[in-house]
Amino acid sequence: MVALALYGLSTLIVASAFVPSGKPAFSYHTKSSSTSISMKFEYADEYEKSSKDIRLTKNHTDLLTDGLRIAPPPYSVEGREGLTGSVMVSGFLEGADRSDQIVFDMLHTSEGMKFEKIIALCEDDKMAKKRLVSRSARYSGLLDVLSFVQSFSALPSASELEGVNTWVARVSAEVSTVESVASLASEASISNLVLLIEGSATPEDAQTMHDALTDTDVDFTVLNYESMVDGPEGEVPFKFGNATDTAEIVGSVINKDELMRIMAVSLSMEKTKGRSLNLKNVASDDSGAIWLRALRQKGFSRIQEVDALIGGYVDVPYYERARDAQIKFKGIREGSVKLSPEELAIKAAADKRSQRKQRIETMKREIKERQEDIIKRAFKALKLAYNDRKYAGKGGMDEDVYNRNNFENALEDAIRMWDSSVNGKKNRQSYHTDADTTWIPQMLEKYGKKKKKSAVPE
């Protein structure tokens, strides 16, 4: 159990490339108006709340896939301020064989971003314009806010950053490069910086990079990945980790479109300020993908998910309770773990409640089926009797009137016929007799002869 506890809190720092749906992304709160959110969590019962509930039924053989048990409810996320004015994008548009329009689209259309000018730093402005002047860019309005700065340097100069308050930079995993970015951002009074670091470094270098950024007054977010590959968002799950855990991303990849989505989401959030994270694609059966599916089942949007995954919620035992219950269930099934007397008593009580519920459902179903069968028999007999009367020349009475006048007798005959099918009234289940006390008067009122109202004496 201790070994499996390695899932831990690091497991919670996960995200997925599945495309979300549902609720609005997040709510904006300014620093002056925001208040701490008191989150009320949902539990199945008080016993689950104490982290001891073990449900030993075939429907709970894999507790980690039950989102209603392991995920908190969605909550409001605080948005970042200052996403207006001009934003500089560097480190893209480097090769003629790859389109990087996705990064500009994200900065232009993502919720919470209201940039009036998006500046693309590029080596060849003519080639860059040719690659970004597309039909979608024209229809979305991107071309109205897009401008180009030609530079033979991978990083902009201090003068080129003048008037820019947000910077999205893609750089290599070199300490000197990151230190240059930190110096430039500080000198240019950049408010928001998202630094996409490509490649792995040593843990010591990763810490040095983080410290260089921390020493500035810039609100930064670092996203470190080994390699970026062409691919859409929504196909492959991925996982967050601490940037200093550099071994975690060695040999890994991340889909480009998914990375750009996370870049935009991170820029939109208050929670990501001052955070250095790494990320990579993972298999669909990874613990991170399981946790993400749980959040999605609760209706989390992308921004709510990222906030939760990097520690924006309060109650981490949601995942841990389900994980521990899963471990214990497997032990019980394999015989290596025994239930305590308390748990045995709770299980017995739960089984008893379940059996009683099943009996009630069975009785309700059988009562309904019997009543439907009796009504069907009664009206079939009435139909035959009315036709015999009509063909015998004894017409003149409306069929509905005839049915009402004779329904009570037909109902009694139908009940006797049903009783004979179970070898007599004495073998009828008592719950049928109890149900008849209210059901028969209701049927007589609905289908039987209408009683005449007595005259009120003067």
Side-chain angles (χ1 to χ4, degrees):
M1 190 167 183
V2 174
L4 289 172
L6 291 175
Y7 281 107
L9 295 179
S10 61
T11 304
L12 299 176
I13 309 178
V14 292
S16 169
F18 307 131
V19 176
S21 61
K23 304 188 178 183
F26 59 96
S27 301
Y28 275 102
H29 302 286
T30 64
K31 293 181 179 178
S32 59
S33 63
S34 62
T35 57
S36 60
I37 302 171
S38 177
M39 297 167 58
K40 182 179 180 181
F41 294 93
E42 302 168 354
Y43 298 90
D45 49 47
E46 288 301 316
Y47 196 65
E48 178 176 329
K49 189 174 182 179
S50 63
S51 305
K52 296 179 180 178
D53 182 32
I54 307 294
R55 297 185 179 183
L56 302 180
T57 71
K58 64 181 181 180
N59 295 326
H60 292 82
T61 57
D62 191 356
L63 298 176
L64 297 185
T65 63
D66 189 346
L68 298 181
R69 286 170 59 82
I70 69 175
Y75 55 89
S76 178
V77 176
E78 186 177 359
R80 190 182 299 196
E81 297 177 336
L83 301 180
T84 58
S86 300
V87 54
M88 169 71 77
V89 179
S90 64
F92 295 88
L93 301 174
E94 294 176 342
D97 58 339
R98 190 182 72 198
S99 173
D100 290 324
Q101 183 177 326
I102 182 68
V103 62
F104 301 96
D105 286 337
M106 291 294 180
L107 292 171
H108 177 57
T109 61
S110 294
E111 187 170 354
M113 298 187 187
K114 301 178 181 179
F115 295 115
E116 300 166 3
K117 190 175 183 180
I118 300 176
I119 305 168
L121 187 75
C122 55
E123 295 179 353
D124 187 339
D125 60 346
K126 293 182 179 178
M127 180 62 70
K129 290 177 182 178
K130 183 178 180 181
R131 290 163 58 190
L132 291 180
V133 179
S134 64
R135 180 179 299 178
S136 62
R138 183 168 62 253
Y139 290 161
S140 68
L142 174 61
L143 295 183
D144 296 333
V145 297
L146 187 62
S147 63
F148 299 87
V149 172
Q150 183 168 294
S151 174
F152 295 105
S153 173
L155 298 178
S157 63
S159 60
E160 290 167 338
L161 285 172
E162 187 176 349
V164 172
N165 62 346
T166 301
W167 183 12
V168 176
R170 174 171 166 253
V171 299
S172 59
E174 298 175 358
V175 172
S176 59
T177 302
V178 174
E179 288 177 339
S180 296
V181 169
S183 176
L184 281 168
S186 180
E187 183 181 349
S189 299
I190 297 295
S191 299
N192 302 291
L193 170 67
V194 176
L195 191 56
L196 305 175
I197 300 179
E198 184 168 303
S200 57
T202 65
E204 294 76 16
D205 284 350
Q207 185 63 54
T208 301
M209 296 176 195
H210 177 79
D211 292 342
L213 293 165
T214 303
D215 290 341
T216 69
D217 294 328
V218 180
D219 290 329
F220 70 91
T221 301
V222 170
L223 298 175
N224 183 206
Y225 58 96
E226 173 74 17
S227 178
M228 179 174 62
V229 296
D230 287 332
E233 59 174 317
E235 286 192 352
V236 184
F238 72 91
K239 177 183 291 187
F240 278 124
N242 293 319
T244 52
D245 297 330
T246 56
E248 291 294 319
I249 63 170
V250 173
S252 67
V253 298
I254 184 72
N255 282 15
K256 180 179 69 175
D257 288 10
E258 193 63 62
L259 177 62
M260 295 306 107
R261 172 67 68 183
I262 297 301
M263 174 277 297
V265 170
S266 300
L267 181 57
S268 301
M269 296 169 53
E270 188 75 16
K271 183 66 65 178
T272 53
K273 287 182 178 181
R275 298 297 299 270
S276 292
L277 307 167
N278 64 35
L279 64 164
K280 64 177 180 178
N281 287 349
V282 294
S284 60
D285 60 351
D286 185 87
S287 58
I290 294 172
W291 176 239
L292 242 298
R293 284 195 293 271
L295 293 176
R296 294 262 165 79
Q297 288 174 24
K298 274 295 185 75
F300 274 61
S301 67
R302 177 57 62 90
I303 288 181
Q304 289 169 333
E305 289 168 358
V306 172
D307 185 85
L309 297 168
I310 64 173
Y313 59 92
V314 179
D315 194 23
V316 296
Y318 269 93
Y319 182 87
E320 294 175 344
R321 269 204 318 278
R323 182 199 64 209
D324 294 343
Q326 180 71 81
I327 294 169
K328 188 165 187 177
F329 174 82
K330 290 181 178 179
I332 292 169
R333 186 173 57 187
E334 296 166 357
S336 60
V337 175
K338 302 296 182 182
L339 288 175
S340 67
E342 179 188 19
E343 290 169 331
L344 285 171
I346 290 175
K347 180 181 181 298
D351 291 343
K352 187 175 181 180
R353 288 193 299 270
S354 177
Q355 292 170 6
R356 183 175 182 274
K357 182 178 179 180
Q358 290 178 2
R359 287 197 300 272
I360 292 174
E361 293 299 324
T362 299
M363 286 190 293
K364 288 181 178 179
R365 186 186 73 253
E366 291 181 355
I367 289 171
K368 181 181 179 181
E369 291 174 351
R370 172 179 177 270
Q371 292 173 349
E372 290 176 347
D373 182 62
I374 289 173
I375 291 296
K376 184 178 179 181
R377 291 173 188 261
F379 277 101
K380 183 177 180 180
L382 288 170
K383 184 71 174 179
L384 291 172
Y386 179 79
N387 287 338
D388 289 345
R389 188 176 189 281
K390 183 174 66 175
Y391 296 139
K394 299 178 182 179
M397 182 181 293
D398 182 75
E399 183 175 7
D400 182 63
V401 175
Y402 178 83
N403 288 345
R404 287 192 173 277
N405 289 341
N406 295 277
F407 177 77
E408 185 172 358
N409 292 333
L411 182 62
E412 292 176 356
D413 291 341
I415 292 174
R416 281 194 294 271
M417 291 174 63
W418 190 92
D419 286 341
S420 66
S421 68
V422 294
N423 297 321
K425 181 178 179 179
K426 64 180 180 179
N427 292 317
R428 181 202 300 171
Q429 295 287 352
S430 60
Y431 51 80
H432 289 309
T433 303
D434 294 340
D436 283 352
T437 58
T438 55
W439 177 69
I440 290 176
Q442 291 173 352
M443 295 301 100
L444 293 177
E445 177 69 23
K446 185 175 181 179
Y447 300 115
K449 185 186 299 184
K450 299 293 184 183
K451 295 181 180 180
K452 295 183 180 179
K453 295 182 180 180
S454 58
V456 180
E458 297 180 358

